[in-house]
Amino acid sequence: MSRDEDGSKADAPALLHRPSQTASFVMVHVGQKPEIRRNLRHGIETRSWGFPLWKPEYRSARPRFAVLATGVGPRVQPDVWTTKKITLYLFEVRENFYEAEAPHWPDEEAENAIKYPVRFGIEPLAVLHDVSLDAGGPLGLTASDAIRVSGTQRGIGLLVDMDPQPLLNAAGIPTNWSEQQTVALNRTPGFTPEQVKSPKPPKRRPSGAGFVSDPKKRKAIELHAEDMAVAHYEGEGWTAERLGKPYDLHCTRGGEERRVEVKGTTGAATSVDLTINEVEHARNPQNTVDLFVVSDIKVDMRTGDYTTSGGRVLHLHDWAPADEDLRPRSFEYRLPLS
């Protein structure tokens, strides 16, 4: 409490709310075995990661970022660990921990079993090579050691609160975390599964149900998601017509009209692939567009006709994708005039 010039008491100015400079991270050590490398590539492609065991803190955790680290064996003393350099795959966590219902990774599909029931959704931000694990590196000692410990515990993720700014700076991502508390996707380099060193193929082709035609599986997932979307809209009194192109469903109810894009995945609801036509169609103010995403779809591939079931729905009404949530994966290059 302060006093005015006349001696009377004056209320102290309200304290300004300052955003936290720290964020919650999931730190994960990823091994070098061929099956783990295949899972890493698949996880990047499908925007999902998972662990074999639940930890109590996962239930209430709300991580903002995840780091999958690889290239250094974890079974060394801490003083030796900090002399090493490692490769980091930096992700934003877009879907929190959930209980999986569908086999997703190649080794799960081969055995038709859920080996990693703890799942969460990840969006690739950047790859960092030759990152120092000592106190001067962008991780700091606490997060660095969390990666080492994760590697001694079957790659279970450890939660760490840390300032993300040094890591974002090292990745070349332009943002002021303490002020913005967010990362624009279109200002991140991203990465693809092809940037992970491919494991050597097995000496003989496994005979499990997971090794099947990808296009056939993809089609089964798409149809399952579309069936769920049709059932949802018809349950609300809409008439749903399947089009496929230029958009998936044309829904009418009385004088109302909705155009629906449908996406399906066996992984998490983190991001979806869009064509330029889908983006422009959703952004056209003359169109009323919804996005209907079905994740964690179960596909039973033990028979010739794939059987799909389950799924978790994310339904976005009046959807128009913003620039900061879009990142181009390819470009059309116009050649110079000859």
Side-chain angles (χ1 to χ4, degrees):
M1 193 75 72
S2 62
R3 292 182 181 272
D4 290 336
E5 292 181 357
D6 62 1
S8 62
K9 294 181 179 180
D11 291 334
L15 293 176
L16 295 176
H17 173 69
R18 296 183 181 277
S20 172
Q21 289 189 327
T22 64
S24 178
F25 277 72
V26 186
M27 313 303 295
V28 184
H29 184 276
V30 180
Q32 297 292 302
K33 292 181 179 180
E35 62 269 24
I36 298 177
R37 305 295 289 181
R38 278 191 286 272
N39 282 354
L40 177 58
R41 291 166 65 93
H42 190 69
I44 293 170
E45 182 179 4
T46 60
R47 309 296 200 259
S48 304
W49 198 246
F51 308 133
L53 296 172
W54 278 96
K55 297 185 73 172
E57 54 265 37
Y58 293 162
R59 302 290 182 181
S60 59
R62 296 294 182 270
R64 295 294 303 274
F65 298 97
V67 171
L68 273 56
T70 187
V72 179
R75 298 190 182 279
V76 296
Q77 293 299 315
D79 58 338
V80 176
W81 174 261
T82 56
T83 66
K84 307 291 185 179
K85 292 188 177 181
I86 203 166
T87 295
L88 303 181
Y89 296 92
L90 175 63
F91 301 86
E92 184 183 18
V93 176
R94 298 297 297 177
E95 184 173 11
N96 205 39
F97 296 111
Y98 65 93
E99 186 88 33
E101 296 182 359
H104 175 68
W105 278 273
D107 57 344
E108 289 186 324
E109 292 181 339
E111 301 174 30
N112 194 40
I114 297 176
K115 301 175 66 175
Y116 315 104
V118 187
R119 305 263 176 95
F120 60 103
I122 51 177
E123 179 62 42
L125 298 182
V127 181
L128 296 84
H129 297 287
D130 297 323
V131 177
S132 296
L133 289 167
D134 58 18
L139 293 172
L141 288 179
T142 300
S144 170
D145 197 58
I147 294 172
R148 181 187 66 84
V149 175
S150 167
T152 66
Q153 298 181 2
R154 301 172 59 193
I156 301 273
L158 298 184
L159 297 170
V160 173
D161 287 338
M162 59 179 273
D163 181 1
Q165 195 64 58
L167 202 53
L168 295 172
N169 291 345
I173 298 174
T175 190
N176 186 328
W177 178 259
S178 63
E179 292 183 2
Q180 298 171 342
Q181 300 281 293
T182 188
V183 173
L185 185 64
N186 63 346
R187 305 191 72 186
T188 66
F191 53 91
T192 66
E194 288 72 30
Q195 290 174 253
V196 177
K197 184 178 179 181
S198 180
K200 294 180 180 179
K203 291 183 180 180
R204 67 181 180 87
R205 186 177 178 86
S207 58
F211 297 87
V212 294
S213 169
D214 282 343
K216 185 176 179 180
K217 176 186 173 185
R218 213 162 32 239
K219 186 63 176 178
I221 291 169
E222 291 172 358
L223 288 175
H224 180 82
E226 192 172 279
D227 287 345
M228 288 186 66
V230 169
H232 170 82
Y233 281 94
E234 289 183 345
E236 293 191 340
W238 296 84
T239 298
E241 179 186 3
R242 302 179 192 240
L243 297 181
K245 291 184 179 182
Y247 49 93
D248 295 307
L249 300 180
H250 182 76
C251 298
T252 55
R253 184 175 62 183
E256 298 178 88
E257 176 195 64
R258 285 197 173 270
R259 304 177 177 197
V260 185
E261 293 288 353
V262 181
K263 304 292 181 179
T265 177
T266 60
T270 300
S271 61
V272 294
D273 290 335
L274 300 172
T275 66
I276 184 62
N277 287 339
E278 289 172 337
V279 172
E280 291 179 347
H281 176 257
R283 286 177 160 184
N284 188 331
Q286 296 181 352
N287 302 328
T288 302
V289 181
D290 291 352
L291 179 64
F292 194 96
V293 180
V294 184
S295 60
D296 200 30
I297 298 172
K298 185 175 182 179
V299 184
D300 187 344
M301 299 179 290
R302 291 174 292 183
T303 61
D305 295 328
Y306 294 172
T307 303
T308 55
S309 60
R312 304 160 67 239
V313 173
L314 175 64
H315 194 185
L316 302 181
H317 296 272
D318 301 329
W319 169 64
D323 284 342
E324 61 267 24
D325 295 324
L326 292 168
R327 181 170 56 204
R329 287 194 176 185
S330 62
F331 294 91
E332 176 186 356
Y333 173 61
R334 183 180 63 182
L335 296 172
L337 292 172
S338 58

